[in-house]
Amino acid sequence: MRKFSFRLFSKLPSSEFRITLSTMITLGRIALAPCIVAAMFLGKWGVSAILFCIASLTDLLDGMVARFFNQKTFLGACLDPLADKILLVSCFGALALTDTLPFKVPYWFVSLVLLRELMIVFGFVYIYCARTGVTVRPTLLGKVTTALQMLFIVWLFLCYFYGWAPPVTYYVTLAIITVLVIVSFVQYAQTGLCYYLDRGSC
């Protein structure tokens, strides 16, 4: 395995860091995150739900645009998952800090999500640098976990907007997502260890 070094980024062509239409859409998703959080703290749950749905749709749109116009770049590949993580962690963190809700997201859950996302980000950077540009793609379980987290957030927004608080549904959903987060965390950790040990089956 090659020694970890950020100097490998300098060897990438400048075209890999260009701002494309798909990259601009991804940056728009990042910009929406603080707007959603602000709306949450103002109690504008309907606005939060709409903005979050728009942000979630851009996650599909930027990938479609990148493929259709052949705009896949290293910068876009880095920013796309990072935007999802900023959106999820910021929303879950704000939900944990809001005391006026019928039920709020527990701090331990936010910590668990944050730990998973940080491991994925730093693991991707390390593997990319150490393995000279090897591509690490999200697993099916990882995609499902992210999608369910987004649906869970939208559901919470709508619950708060309509004043509907079904505790059983909330705790069951929270338990399911927690299990998926833990399992996907272990899966990504095993994949990272596999790359670190230079196994060809990764």
Side-chain angles (χ1 to χ4, degrees):
M1 175 177 291
R2 295 192 58 174
K3 184 179 180 181
F4 176 82
S5 174
F6 282 103
R7 292 180 180 177
L8 291 174
F9 289 133
S10 63
K11 297 181 180 180
L12 292 172
S14 59
S15 59
E16 290 296 321
F17 296 94
R18 71 185 189 277
I19 303 296
T20 64
L21 176 59
S22 60
T23 304
M24 292 177 64
I25 294 174
T26 303
L27 291 173
R29 183 158 75 257
I30 296 176
L32 279 174
C35 298
I36 296 171
V37 171
M40 291 167 64
F41 282 114
L42 292 174
K44 306 294 184 180
W45 298 109
V47 175
S48 299
I50 293 173
L51 292 178
F52 189 86
C53 287
I54 293 174
S56 300
L57 288 175
T58 64
D59 188 21
L60 299 174
L61 184 61
D62 58 7
M64 293 173 59
V65 170
R67 288 188 293 271
F68 185 79
F69 293 103
N70 193 24
Q71 296 181 344
K72 295 181 180 181
T73 63
F74 173 76
L75 179 62
C78 291
L79 288 178
D80 184 42
L82 184 62
D84 293 339
K85 296 171 192 339
I86 291 174
L87 187 64
L88 287 174
V89 173
S90 60
C91 287
F92 278 133
L95 287 169
L97 294 173
T98 306
D99 297 324
T100 58
L101 305 178
F103 37 70
K104 66 178 183 177
V105 175
Y107 292 116
W108 60 262
F109 178 80
V110 179
S111 301
L112 182 63
V113 171
L114 179 61
L115 179 62
R116 172 183 178 270
E117 304 304 344
L118 287 176
M119 183 198 69
I120 294 174
V121 171
F122 286 110
F124 168 80
V125 173
Y126 179 87
I127 291 173
Y128 186 91
C129 293
R131 295 295 297 272
T132 319
V134 66
T135 301
V136 182
R137 300 185 182 280
T139 64
L140 177 60
L141 179 61
K143 291 181 179 180
V144 171
T145 302
T146 299
L148 286 180
Q149 288 180 89
M150 289 184 170
L151 289 174
F152 184 48
I153 291 174
V154 173
W155 180 77
L156 286 175
F157 287 165
L158 294 177
C159 284
Y160 303 148
F161 178 75
Y162 289 107
W164 181 52
V168 175
T169 305
Y170 167 75
Y171 287 112
V172 169
T173 306
L174 182 66
I176 292 173
I177 294 178
T178 299
V179 171
L180 289 176
V181 169
I182 293 174
V183 174
S184 65
F185 176 90
V186 173
Q187 186 181 58
Y188 278 118
Q190 289 177 336
T191 301
L193 181 61
C194 182
Y195 275 113
Y196 179 78
L197 296 176
D198 269 335
R199 295 176 183 171
S201 60
C202 296

